[in-house]
Amino acid sequence: MTESRVLVQIDGPLAYVTLNRPDKLNGIDLETIDELIAAATSLRGNREVRAVVLRGNGRSFCAGLDFGAAFKDKKKVARMFFAGPRTVNRFQLVNQVWRELPVPVIAVVHGHCYGAGLQLAACADFRFTTPDATWAILEAKWGLVPDMAGTVPFSELLPADVLMRLAMTGEQFSGARAGELGLATEVSEDPLKSALALVDQIIERSPDSVAATKQLVYGTRRGSLRKTYRLERKLQSAMFKASNTAIARKAGAAKTKPVFGPRTFGR
């Protein structure tokens, strides 16, 4: 029997949700997406849970989307990616569900925090990281844009020029730098200990006011999420079709420097 890709452990008022593909640096495949959504759905119905800690087994929090594993089933990828104009797709839902959960969600980051993993961390309410963790909005390496709901929290947390620099280049930066930029809530040699200290403070307050506060903050931050997500899908669809995307993927897989053709997107 295949071991679960996502482990859920309830410890009194605290739920631990752990990415469990340590041999793949917790790279996200299609099954991981399904299990993360299922985990969030089950926690939503548990009114005894007061906070959630998101973390990763092994050497990393999450090294991003596991393209090799995910794209073995291209038909399922297509079904999960394309959504009607009034809904989010599964790739967006896997991260958006944590923002919608009526309890605080804390990502505890170590090792790699790349691409889809960084979008998952960004969609948590708080991010605690080791100073030597490595972060990157890595989609640029593959000729893509962030399209797993990360656009919303990235835009909330970062100035536009900083976000564009990180998203356009895919440059790597440390957990310490993530703290300086405001992406990380706190930098600590023991981020789990720091996260649990925050949990202790939160559970001293009314769970209703905590839930209402979360809804209030997110509900007043920006305009329509659906419009933002539709734009994500539109741009990513264009990237999938772009010839330079194939060049980026080939070079990324071969670990060589890509040689791109002329720009094909945008007027």
Side-chain angles (χ1 to χ4, degrees):
M1 182 177 178
T2 303
E3 190 173 5
S4 296
R5 285 162 164 76
V6 177
L7 305 177
V8 179
Q9 177 189 0
I10 307 294
D11 182 11
L14 180 62
Y16 291 94
V17 177
T18 307
L19 296 171
N20 189 41
R21 296 185 76 212
D23 57 321
K24 299 294 185 181
L25 301 179
N26 295 316
I28 294 175
D29 61 3
L30 303 186
E31 290 76 12
T32 304
I33 290 174
D34 289 338
E35 291 188 26
L36 278 170
I37 294 172
T41 301
S42 68
L43 291 173
R44 175 178 283 276
N46 187 336
R47 293 181 177 270
E48 301 303 316
V49 169
R50 300 286 307 278
V52 175
V53 168
L54 280 173
R55 58 184 180 174
N57 265 342
R59 295 190 295 119
S60 293
F61 173 69
C62 178
L65 188 67
D66 185 342
F67 281 95
F71 279 82
K72 286 180 180 179
D73 190 344
K74 294 182 180 179
K75 289 184 179 179
K76 185 175 181 180
V77 169
R79 290 196 302 271
M80 293 175 70
F81 179 78
F82 292 105
R86 297 185 179 277
T87 189
V88 299
N89 67 26
R90 297 280 287 180
F91 289 97
Q92 294 166 327
L93 182 63
V94 68
N95 293 330
Q96 174 62 20
V97 285
W98 305 104
R99 284 173 65 96
E100 294 177 346
L101 209 62
V103 297
V105 179
I106 307 170
V108 175
V109 175
H110 72 289
H112 304 85
C113 185
Y114 290 165
L118 179 45
Q119 293 187 77
L120 174 61
C123 284
D125 306 307
F126 306 93
R127 287 150 297 284
F128 288 74
T129 181
T130 60
D132 60 350
T134 309
W135 296 47
I137 304 177
L138 204 59
E139 285 76 12
K141 177 179 178 180
W142 309 103
L144 300 172
V145 299
D147 73 326
M148 295 179 68
T151 308
V152 172
F154 289 160
S155 296
E156 293 171 350
L157 295 167
L158 295 170
D161 59 336
V162 175
L163 173 54
M164 285 191 288
R165 173 176 175 168
L166 297 177
M168 289 175 177
T169 65
E171 68 179 71
Q172 298 178 12
F173 52 99
S174 68
R177 181 60 175 157
E180 293 171 359
L181 293 173
L183 267 178
T185 307
E186 186 174 320
V187 180
S188 171
E189 294 291 347
D190 189 345
L192 178 58
K193 181 179 180 180
S194 298
L196 294 181
L198 174 60
V199 171
D200 287 341
Q201 288 183 287
I202 290 173
I203 62 177
E204 291 180 355
R205 307 305 179 195
S206 162
D208 298 320
S209 68
V210 169
T213 298
K214 179 170 176 175
Q215 183 176 339
L216 176 65
V217 171
Y218 287 143
T220 56
R221 289 300 293 265
R222 59 186 304 123
S224 168
L225 289 176
R226 298 189 187 283
K227 182 178 179 181
T228 300
Y229 292 157
R230 284 199 300 271
L231 179 60
E232 279 189 352
R233 294 195 298 271
K234 178 181 178 180
L235 295 176
Q236 192 72 305
S237 294
M239 295 306 99
F240 283 143
K241 300 172 185 176
S243 58
N244 281 320
T245 299
I247 294 172
R249 286 181 178 173
K250 185 175 180 179
K255 298 183 178 180
T256 59
K257 184 176 181 178
V259 179
F260 294 111
R263 177 172 58 84
T264 62
F265 179 80
R267 296 181 180 179

